[in-house]
Amino acid sequence: MTVISDPPSKSAKRPNRLFRNIMAKIASIPMVVTALVVFVGCTAWTITYSFTGSRMLPKTKWVGLDQYDRLWDTDRWIISIKNLAIYGACSMILTLFLGFCLAACLDRKIRFESAFRTIFLYPFALSFVVTGLVWQWILNPDFGLQSVVRNWGWESFTFNPLNDPDTVMYGLLIAGLWQGTGLIMCIMLAGLRGIDDDIWKAAKVDGIGTIKTYVVVVIPMMRPVFITSLVLIAAGIIKLYDLVVAQTGGGPGLSSEVPAKYVIEYMFRAQNLGQGFAASTMMLCSVVVILIPWAYLEFGGRKRG
Amino acid sequence: MSNVLKSLLVGTALTCASTAQAVELEVTHWWTSGGEAAAVSKFADAWNATGNTWLDGAIAGSGGTARPIIISRILGGDPMAATQLNHGRQAEELIEAGLLLDLTDVADAGGWRDIVNPTALLDSCTLDGKIYCVPVNIHSAQWIWLSHAAYENAGLDVPTDWHEFVASADELQAAGTLPLAMGQQGWQQSIAFGAITIAVAGLDAWKGVNVSKDASVARGPEYTAVFEAVVAARELARGSNVQDWNLATNMVITGQAGAQIMGDWAQGEFAVAEQVEGVDYSCLPGLGLNAVLDTGGDAFYFPVNDDPEITAAQKELAALLISPEVQVSFNLAKGSLPVRGDIDMSSANGCMQKGLGILADGGVLPSSDITFSADTQTQIEDLMAQFWSGDMSAANAQASYADLIESAD
């Protein structure tokens, strides 16, 4: 009946689109509401209250940018940012590199592949708290790795990263890599299995070496897999908290503090919500600054192409 | 959670039917080290002896870990029946928000005004003339604990004040002993700083900074001397890689370290290790120089509850915690000083007698929990963590400290 004349057809089509798949839309309402209220709503609330002088309880006592002034004047925050940058850069590069290398090794049709895959993936089944404690003990100079090697007779062996302010972040990095590389390896392995055998045959016919084939042909083909890994690793880096609490408690001194720990401690231990909110807003900003150009390149570019 | 709560309530209702007024109260606290656990069991035993039930809610970790959990439970509408906090300003906003039970009638009935000594303790529980907490003990932070074994091993006499200790440090080191045990946590380093301040700078400078919050005193020469003394002390503590305070105390107990600056709660650890004051270890209040003690400590707060039966039980528990017998048994186990001056503490050991003597002489200071907000304290602890474990110069640390005092509240 909408075929008869044009104007009514347009007005009838619009509600039509809205009510298409009506059950699916109703079913997704809870998720949409959750996303709006929990994510958008709470984020807006947090940002709003970061401009107040709230202490233990949120209060609308406006102080402008005071909390941010104080934040960027605080040594501990600056140290936290630097630490996260070191950890983030190393963790990102090494996790991708090691994950890909391990996956490529497993992909060479070795024996006991599934056994190795389980071994490498196993640390991922442990929480960060357990990982942190285990590595705190392993790296403890008095009864960990250092004392074991010394008992073997190598008396001068020194490996004590956690008690030296300059190396403590690398001690954390070892634990983080141990825990996280297995998952990235599995994702990479799945990606490698998705590469058609014909590609390998063609490369062989053209006389391209194995490593060169990986670097020049296979890695560019695995772009979506790398993007997924990148997002997973980046999310893990930003929320780095429990590993630090379990392994070093932020010490020695402030040398392994991270931003998430600053937020938690100022919100609850120092009972200064405003300061904690300001710090968490800065964390959000840093994520947004990285995310928006990437999303633009990733999604905006595809539309044009 | 609510299911657990319901089953607890049902359980409570059932026991109510059989016995007259047995109420189960959940009590949260962060007393988890050996000596502390022994002390809290005295409270639990006394409460269970009244026919009620003490549901122990120990939260591992120090106050810094436990306090956020406690406060978020109260704010989140899942309050425990009673909780430990340090008296002072930690609960200020909870009281203002009307989340804590007013204990004024219990206090009046028990005559707390007259029995609590020093009365400043009760003042720190009071807001607008109403009393909201029961102080249960007095803890002071200005103590140094010395290991006799370590000094015998080095062939030295046990020092009697801070200066002698510093002078003896080289020989201790030569004997392979770490002079000063120090847990690598900001609050412990902050305590050591406070104790050294009172010993080195004296009371007037300490009060100028901590009570009047006068930044010019913090920039002055007395404090320069303090920061230089701390720089010397941090060299004595190099190689102390433990985190928790009781692990550092254990180094003193076993003679691996010569001394530790720690509050009088360290006493409980010596007691658990069955060491005897004057034979195995010594204690010097005020580092042996200025014998004054601050009067921080623990107090119990009671979150407001809808159930009148629980409210009545809360008040009953409040009165019990401050009753003479419980005060004696609890404080003997914990190594802290009782909050009332009218009880017989003659069975206390030498260190506690020293503390009781100082209290009786009125050599008391307010604790940092009372003078500073949690925010300022955290900032000071952060600075101390940075100062003690890095190589920050005394001048830089003093400048940062003075800035903090200037904006302190």
Side-chain angles (χ1 to χ4, degrees), chain A residues 54-59 70 74-76 79 136 141-142 160 163 165 248-249 251-254 257 262 265-266 268-272 275, chain B residues 64-65 67-68 71-72 75 89-94 96-97 184 241 243 373-375 378-379 381-383 385-386 389-390 392 400 409:
Chain A
S54 301
R55 283 303 179 85
M56 186 199 284
L57 307 173
K59 282 179 189 151
R70 178 176 147 186
T74 307
D75 277 349
R76 179 172 170 179
I79 293 171
Q136 187 193 59
D142 297 327
N160 185 13
N163 287 313
T248 67
L254 300 177
E257 291 290 342
Y262 184 95
E265 294 209 344
Y266 271 85
F268 298 114
R269 194 158 70 88
Q271 300 173 357
N272 190 339
Q275 182 65 198
Chain B
T65 315
R67 222 173 290 127
I71 289 170
S72 62
L75 289 180
R89 299 174 53 189
Q90 289 168 357
E92 214 170 55
E93 287 192 51
L94 289 177
E96 283 166 5
Q184 301 293 320
N241 289 336
Q243 294 277 333
S373 68
D375 186 34
T378 306
Q379 286 180 290
E381 283 171 17
D382 284 351
L383 173 67
Q386 204 180 355
S389 46
M392 194 178 205
S400 307
D409 59 353

Side-chain angles (χ1 to χ4, degrees), chain A residues 70-199:
Chain A
R70 178 176 147 186
L71 182 68
W72 287 103
D73 236 14
T74 307
D75 277 349
R76 179 172 170 179
W77 176 250
I78 309 286
I79 293 171
S80 301
I81 297 274
K82 283 183 186 156
N83 282 342
L84 192 68
I86 295 174
Y87 180 89
C90 295
S91 165
M92 181 67 84
I93 294 168
L94 288 174
T95 311
L96 283 178
F97 179 75
L98 292 175
F100 185 80
C101 289
L102 287 175
C105 291
L106 287 187
D107 194 41
R108 301 314 296 169
K109 302 191 175 62
I110 57 163
R111 256 190 232 185
F112 308 122
E113 184 205 310
S114 58
F116 279 113
R117 203 174 49 211
T118 312
I119 290 171
F120 289 133
L121 191 58
Y122 213 80
F124 189 70
L126 299 179
S127 74
F128 261 137
V129 173
V130 177
T131 308
L133 273 181
V134 167
W135 279 93
Q136 187 193 59
W137 293 333
I138 294 176
L139 298 178
N140 184 301
D142 297 327
F143 45 83
L145 193 63
Q146 178 178 308
S147 78
V148 170
V149 176
R150 283 189 181 179
N151 287 342
W152 287 341
W154 194 1
E155 293 289 338
S156 64
F157 179 80
T158 305
F159 186 66
N160 185 13
L162 293 187
N163 287 313
D164 180 349
D166 297 327
T167 55
V168 62
M169 286 315 291
Y170 302 102
L172 285 171
L173 188 66
I174 294 173
L177 286 178
W178 180 78
Q179 213 244 10
T181 311
L183 177 72
I184 300 302
M185 180 204 73
C186 275
I187 294 172
M188 295 279 188
L189 191 59
L192 284 172
R193 290 284 146 83
I195 304 283
D196 202 324
D197 259 359
D198 291 342
I199 304 272

